[in-house]
Amino acid sequence: MSARRCGVVGATGAVGRELLRILEARDFPVASLRLFASADSVGVRLPFRGQHLAVSAIAPGSLEGLDLAFFCAGANVARVHAPAAARHGCVVIDNSSAFRGDHDVPLVVPEVNGDAIASHRGLLANPNCAATLLATALHPLRAVAGIRSLIVATYQAASGAGRAAMDELLRDTRRRLDGQDPGPPAALPATLGFNVFPHVGALQPGGPSSEESKIRAELRRILAQPDLPIDATCVRVPVLRCHSAAVTVGLDRAVDPAAARALFAGAAGVTMDDGPDGAGYPTPAEYSGADGCGVGRIRASSVLNPGLTFWTCGDQLRKGAALNAVQIAEAL
Amino acid sequence: MSARRCGVVGATGAVGRELLRILEARDFPVASLRLFASADSVGVRLPFRGQHLAVSAIAPGSLEGLDLAFFCAGANVARVHAPAAARHGCVVIDNSSAFRGDHDVPLVVPEVNGDAIASHRGLLANPNCAATLLATALHPLRAVAGIRSLIVATYQAASGAGRAAMDELLRDTRRRLDGQDPGPPAALPATLGFNVFPHVGALQPGGPSSEESKIRAELRRILAQPDLPIDATCVRVPVLRCHSAAVTVGLDRAVDPAAARALFAGAAGVTMDDGPDGAGYPTPAEYSGADGCGVGRIRASSVLNPGLTFWTCGDQLRKGAALNAVQIAEAL
């Protein structure tokens, strides 16, 4: 792969910073690197290959002359700047939700539907973090047994709501430890310190949250099963990074737990963390900073028959976001 | 109800202390009250109705002369002392798992199967805390629509593992905030501060945890459905008290979310916390110290059809343990 002139938009956020670390650690062929963020981050310098690169404000035309841009900002920034960059010949890998529902834009987890990358027209979408981790874990079962239905309850870290939410969790936890009122939440919809709440993204009255809708819509696209029945309950937990999920999956053909362990053990992107004695399981504390999506606690389902129940855990900022984006770029 | 000569075994633990508060707050007819614990708690004094009562060591014969004993200790203590007390005419309400599988011992959630109380022979069992909360939430649906299957993922507080686990969570959280290594866990199987893990009770290799087995076995008994298919994944979360759960329930007859809201709103022991706009939901922060089992985020299930998905939350130490025990005593 020839070296690329690269840009990172939203470089100062939690995903942007992780992306810089991953580009460096994986020795991605970067010919040049330009960093962008909102105006209030101008002047910030971020480390990359021994240098400290200054962050510029994103503006019309900022991305001209680049071969490849990673967007790690919100959907509004992506809608304004990504299509223009693509028109100028820059390939954009966008981490926001802006283009995930656009059927002209491949929505890609390389281990699962990497063949979709070739069809891009300048824009590619990185899926929602929870959808990426679930797709990675489900793919080995899909390939052998077919997926018929899915019930998932998530345990999502503060990192999914960005750096401000992580800072708010730390601050509120300390206040509660010190016997103080944590005060009203700002980055999150409720106080997260020593608490959990089933409210990730926007809550739609009487229906799924926006996160639950994303998981359903994006998993259906990534797995190429547009009618797959999915029940998701997305819950924020007081963890800094790494999303977890309790998954029950209905299959077309029976796979017993021992066979499932063998499938997971051989699957790209998956770390089997449920030894022959079943005593292991992945946790956020162990998987923070790890690349793999851990799978453990694999059991036969009593309700979805044939089916399996398992536990999965992966770093939201890595496989759930920045790593997946870099993997797409490597596959281009 | 005539006043009873009462005893509390395990009075210094988290459930025991909560039970004293509930006996006082509900003005339970206590003629006299004796407190027992293990030998290392002797000399502790606990408040009750303006006095400070001394704790004695539990020993053979300790409970003679009592009418009613609440056991808030472990299963081993219950196996040694509860049957002897019952033989001497003392009615025992045991909060441990010792007798929950014994079909001569009623396993009771008063709102759900209170009619089982009358059949007792001196011993009654208080169910596992998560099973109690789930039974309370499921009962209104069962009465109208019949329950066909159940998939549940829990978010269980440290309180379920006792006071030592709550103290360990506080200690480890502070150490992690201060950048220190939390050190090896003692009361819990892994560090809980800023972490979650699917390991509640003992982990059975390749199978359910003991907590998951209890939920299945006890819900089947309480709901009088010995073959009900249940998949449970029990997860410890860094919350001090209050268990939560994401529930998907298959029904015999369809109940739409609006009808389910009306059923929950009228059900004993349940607090409907999902207003007509669906924007509400119960959280541990709000339900700590509350008596009701909160239900919210009620949606139709796409997978179990007909079926519903909802979120529930209740104080493990109150409805999940001490309150339920006192309610059984009130119904005797």
Side-chain angles (χ1 to χ4, degrees):
Chain A
M1 178 159 47
S2 60
R4 316 289 181 85
R5 295 166 294 176
C6 297
V8 178
V9 179
T12 56
V15 175
R17 288 168 191 257
E18 196 67 35
L19 193 122
L20 295 181
R21 284 190 281 270
I22 292 171
L23 288 174
E24 183 166 338
R26 292 174 77 98
D27 209 14
F28 188 84
V30 175
S32 63
L33 182 60
R34 296 175 61 196
L35 307 183
F36 301 95
S38 58
D40 52 348
S41 290
V42 170
V44 172
R45 289 177 171 271
L46 295 172
F48 185 73
R49 293 187 183 165
Q51 297 187 288
H52 282 79
L53 304 181
V55 173
S56 307
I58 181 78
S62 290
L63 306 177
E64 283 181 30
L66 297 183
D67 301 314
L68 179 63
F70 297 96
F71 272 63
C72 307
N76 289 335
V77 172
R79 282 194 200 95
V80 171
H81 296 285
R87 278 194 299 274
H88 286 97
C90 175
V91 176
V92 172
I93 300 171
D94 178 36
N95 199 52
S96 83
S97 62
F99 307 108
R100 289 180 191 153
D102 183 338
H103 283 261
D104 287 340
V105 177
L107 182 72
V108 181
V109 178
E111 294 89 339
V112 181
N113 65 337
D115 53 348
I117 293 173
S119 67
H120 83 83
R121 303 179 189 181
L123 272 174
L124 298 107
N126 213 24
N128 167 279
C129 46
T132 299
L133 294 165
L134 288 166
T136 305
L138 290 169
H139 175 62
L141 296 175
R142 176 180 73 142
V144 167
I147 289 175
R148 206 184 51 200
S149 60
L150 181 67
I151 294 179
V152 58
T154 70
Y155 301 70
Q156 294 184 237
S159 56
R163 284 180 64 82
M166 298 167 78
D167 292 342
E168 187 166 292
L169 169 59
L170 291 169
R171 184 199 67 193
D172 291 352
T173 302
R174 189 176 287 282
R175 286 185 182 167
R176 288 200 62 182
L177 276 177
D178 292 342
Q180 298 169 6
D181 187 321
L188 292 164
T191 297
L192 188 55
F194 298 111
N195 200 21
V196 300
F197 47 80
H199 185 166
V200 180
L203 210 50
Q204 296 164 16
S209 67
S210 58
E211 184 82 353
E212 291 157 3
S213 296
K214 284 178 189 173
I215 285 180
R216 179 187 295 197
E218 296 182 23
L219 274 179
R220 286 173 168 179
R221 271 200 78 190
I222 299 164
L223 300 174
Q225 293 183 250
D227 301 315
L228 182 65
I230 301 176
D231 285 337
T233 300
C234 290
V235 181
R236 193 75 72 188
V237 296
V239 165
L240 283 165
R241 55 191 279 177
C242 258
H243 290 351
S244 307
V247 179
T248 305
V249 55
L251 301 171
D252 290 326
R253 289 173 293 284
V255 175
D256 69 25
R261 281 181 204 107
L263 286 171
F264 287 126
V270 174
T271 303
M272 245 308 290
D273 203 347
D274 178 336
D277 62 355
Y281 47 80
T283 69
E286 295 163 303
Y287 277 69
S288 290
D291 285 347
C293 169
V295 175
R297 298 291 326 279
I298 300 155
R299 294 153 282 155
S301 169
S302 306
V303 175
L304 303 182
N305 194 351
L308 291 166
T309 291
F310 63 88
W311 171 256
T312 181
C313 181
D315 191 324
Q316 177 272 320
L317 296 176
R318 292 183 73 91
K319 184 59 190 168
L323 173 62
N324 197 71
V326 175
Q327 287 176 312
I328 293 172
E330 289 170 345
L332 275 168
Chain B
M1 178 159 49
S2 61
R4 317 287 182 84
R5 294 166 295 176
C6 297
V8 178
V9 179
T12 57
V15 175
R17 288 168 191 257
E18 196 67 34
L19 193 123
L20 295 182
R21 282 189 283 268
I22 291 170
L23 288 175
E24 184 166 337
R26 292 173 76 97
D27 209 16
F28 189 85
V30 175
S32 63
L33 181 61
R34 296 175 62 196
L35 307 183
F36 301 95
S38 59
D40 52 348
S41 289
V42 170
V44 171
R45 289 178 172 270
L46 296 173
F48 185 73
R49 294 187 181 164
Q51 296 185 289
H52 282 79
L53 305 180
V55 174
S56 307
I58 181 78
S62 290
L63 306 176
E64 284 182 30
L66 296 183
D67 302 313
L68 179 63
F70 296 96
F71 273 63
C72 307
N76 290 335
V77 172
R79 282 192 200 95
V80 171
H81 296 285
R87 278 193 299 274
H88 286 96
C90 175
V91 176
V92 172
I93 300 170
D94 178 36
N95 200 52
S96 84
S97 62
F99 308 107
R100 289 180 192 153
D102 184 337
H103 283 262
D104 288 341
V105 176
L107 182 72
V108 181
V109 178
E111 294 90 339
V112 181
N113 65 337
D115 54 347
I117 292 174
S119 66
H120 82 84
R121 303 178 187 183
L123 272 174
L124 297 108
N126 212 25
N128 167 279
C129 46
T132 300
L133 294 166
L134 289 166
T136 305
L138 290 169
H139 176 62
L141 296 174
R142 175 180 72 141
V144 167
I147 290 176
R148 205 184 52 200
S149 60
L150 181 67
I151 294 180
V152 57
T154 70
Y155 301 70
Q156 294 184 237
S159 57
R163 281 181 65 83
M166 297 167 78
D167 292 342
E168 188 166 291
L169 170 59
L170 291 169
R171 186 199 67 195
D172 291 352
T173 301
R174 189 176 287 283
R175 286 184 182 166
R176 288 200 61 182
L177 275 178
D178 292 342
Q180 298 170 8
D181 188 321
L188 292 163
T191 297
L192 188 55
F194 298 110
N195 200 21
V196 300
F197 47 79
H199 185 166
V200 180
L203 210 52
Q204 297 164 16
S209 66
S210 58
E211 184 82 352
E212 290 156 3
S213 296
K214 284 178 189 174
I215 285 181
R216 181 187 295 199
E218 296 183 22
L219 274 180
R220 286 172 168 180
R221 271 201 78 192
I222 299 164
L223 300 175
Q225 293 184 248
D227 301 315
L228 182 66
I230 301 176
D231 284 339
T233 299
C234 290
V235 181
R236 193 74 74 187
V237 296
V239 165
L240 284 165
R241 56 191 281 178
C242 257
H243 290 350
S244 307
V247 178
T248 305
V249 56
L251 302 171
D252 290 326
R253 290 173 292 284
V255 175
D256 70 25
R261 280 181 205 109
L263 287 172
F264 287 127
V270 174
T271 303
M272 244 309 290
D273 203 347
D274 178 335
D277 63 353
Y281 47 81
T283 68
E286 295 163 305
Y287 277 69
S288 290
D291 285 347
C293 169
V295 174
R297 298 289 328 276
I298 300 155
R299 293 153 283 156
S301 169
S302 307
V303 175
L304 303 182
N305 195 353
L308 291 166
T309 291
F310 62 89
W311 172 255
T312 180
C313 182
D315 191 324
Q316 176 273 321
L317 296 176
R318 291 183 73 91
K319 183 60 191 168
L323 173 62
N324 198 68
V326 174
Q327 287 177 312
I328 293 172
E330 289 170 344
L332 276 167

